[in-house]
Amino acid sequence: LYSIDQGAGSIPTSSFSVTGSTVKYAIMAIDGSYEGKLSPDGNSITGTWTQGNHPLPLNLKRATPGTEWAIPEAPARPKPMPPDANPVAEVATIKPSKPDQKGKGFIFDGHRFKTINTSLLDLLTFAYGVQQRQVIGGPPWSSSDKYDLEMQPDIEGMPNDKQLKSMLQKLLPERVKLQFHHEQKELPVYALLVAKSGQKMTKSQGDPNGLPGLFFRGLGVLSVQNATMTDFAGLMQSAVLDRPVVNQTALPGRYDFLLKWTPDESQFGGMGIKVPPPSNAADAPPNLFTAVQDELGLKFDATKASVDVLVIDHLEKPSAN
């Protein structure tokens, strides 16, 4: 698939088949699939495109010299920042979010990182890779007041995940006078493990030193590209589950997968979202714990473990830009 108006380059299909006149393909990265009937002359396909739960008619015609267009050039991959670079935020702004802003977002666009509608607690959990329960002692406004942040590194190139979080760790003491110390505390956690079936995910062909892509395409629809198991565990603990998640899979490398489940009211608190009652539809996806095992070959075990916690000693509201 090529997006001719969004500059996204090519998006690979995850499966493709032709059986008789029936044509099927799926694109895991965007949770999309297509099924159609090939005409006897092979010049058209009449079918349906389905993305999530939204089917739409999509009919295809073989291109002719008069209707075809050139396949767009893939955008140039951003040059990575040297792995030994130690960047700081050359330009950074923190301003209150719009009062009616919904949801939250963490976005990296080329050389600029920004967050939308995030609290100081959200920034802390992202910067230090912890769950909200692992941050103790912050003032009430640190979880209720919402801000938009933008920062740009002082070194050319795209930072990796570690460099990006390091920049934020340096910025917070400057802008919010953050002071804290570490302690160990026993907390309820979920241990992420490989299920008896063995893992079922696809090894990523992406840059092993690049940033992972983890995107929710709706509640209970998670598209993951080029992510480690630590990346996955970190997202689940910060956005979905109500306790820390400890990666105990021992799986090396990075993976691509699509995870679909029916969330319940205990989930997505980290994103400030109230989950509607579960669907009773016969084709509704299973709950998270079943889906992780059936679709990924992993499992979450509820247990207790000693984990690192951040104890806030001092925190102030962001200084004016």
Side-chain angles (χ1 to χ4, degrees):
L1 178 71
Y2 290 85
S3 176
I4 63 171
D5 62 348
Q6 297 176 351
S10 62
I11 306 172
T13 57
S14 48
S15 64
F16 187 94
S17 67
V18 180
T19 306
S21 63
T22 300
V23 179
K24 295 181 181 180
Y25 65 84
I27 303 175
M28 180 182 69
I30 57 175
D31 188 25
S33 62
Y34 180 77
E35 180 171 345
K37 290 290 184 180
L38 184 67
S39 64
D41 63 6
N43 287 324
S44 64
I45 304 174
T46 302
T48 301
W49 167 260
T50 302
Q51 193 163 8
N53 297 317
H54 305 288
L56 291 169
L58 176 61
N59 301 325
L60 307 176
K61 264 185 149 180
R62 184 186 298 276
T64 67
T67 62
E68 69 183 8
W69 61 85
I71 292 174
E73 290 282 341
R77 293 181 63 87
K79 182 180 178 182
M81 189 176 290
D84 58 349
N86 187 20
V88 297
E90 181 179 51
V91 178
T93 62
I94 303 177
K95 60 184 180 181
S97 302
K98 296 177 181 177
D100 58 349
Q101 181 74 47
K102 303 296 183 183
K104 71 177 67 171
F106 292 80
I107 304 164
F108 192 82
D109 181 14
H111 198 56
R112 185 179 295 271
F113 172 75
K114 63 181 179 179
T115 74
I116 300 172
N117 208 36
T118 48
S119 67
L120 264 295
L121 181 58
D122 293 326
L123 298 180
L124 278 168
T125 57
F126 176 80
Y128 291 95
V130 296
Q131 203 262 353
Q132 291 187 4
R133 290 190 184 190
Q134 293 170 263
V135 182
I136 299 173
W141 61 261
S142 66
S143 59
S144 60
D145 291 5
K146 301 299 173 64
Y147 298 92
D148 296 344
L149 175 147
E150 287 196 25
M151 65 178 185
Q152 182 171 311
D154 64 338
I155 299 173
E156 287 298 319
M158 186 172 71
N160 59 32
D161 186 56
K162 183 178 179 180
Q163 289 167 330
L164 182 61
K165 291 179 177 179
S166 174
M167 281 196 298
L168 190 52
Q169 291 172 15
K170 296 166 190 167
L171 182 68
L172 291 175
E174 175 188 335
R175 291 298 179 89
V176 299
K177 310 305 179 190
L178 171 65
Q179 298 177 21
F180 69 92
H181 65 275
H182 292 270
E183 291 183 4
Q184 290 291 309
K185 186 175 182 180
E186 187 174 72
L187 294 175
V189 304
Y190 286 112
L192 179 64
L193 303 163
V194 178
K196 289 183 179 179
S197 63
Q199 73 89 5
K200 303 176 182 180
M201 301 168 292
T202 301
K203 276 276 194 177
S204 177
Q205 301 300 310
D207 180 358
N209 296 311
L211 291 172
L214 303 101
F215 303 103
F216 288 104
R217 301 192 174 276
L219 291 181
V221 182
L222 175 61
S223 174
V224 174
Q225 303 290 314
N226 199 37
T228 66
M229 288 297 94
T230 298
D231 294 328
F232 175 54
L235 179 72
M236 298 306 289
Q237 75 171 10
S238 65
V240 180
L241 294 169
D242 59 353
R243 60 178 68 180
V245 178
V246 181
N247 173 27
Q248 296 182 355
T249 63
L251 290 174
R254 296 175 179 241
Y255 298 87
D256 299 337
F257 58 85
L258 180 70
L259 176 63
K260 300 176 73 171
W261 78 96
T262 298
D264 61 41
E265 66 279 357
S266 72
Q267 296 168 13
F268 287 100
M271 295 183 70
I273 296 174
K274 184 175 177 60
V275 176
S279 169
N280 293 321
D283 60 350
N287 65 53
L288 173 63
F289 299 93
T290 300
V292 164
Q293 189 154 331
D294 291 350
E295 299 171 24
L296 308 184
L298 306 175
K299 64 178 181 176
F300 290 117
D301 274 1
T303 184
K304 285 190 173 184
S306 179
V307 297
D308 184 50
V309 298
L310 310 183
V311 182
I312 304 300
D313 300 314
H314 185 78
L315 191 65
E316 298 180 8
K317 292 194 176 185
S319 58
N321 296 311

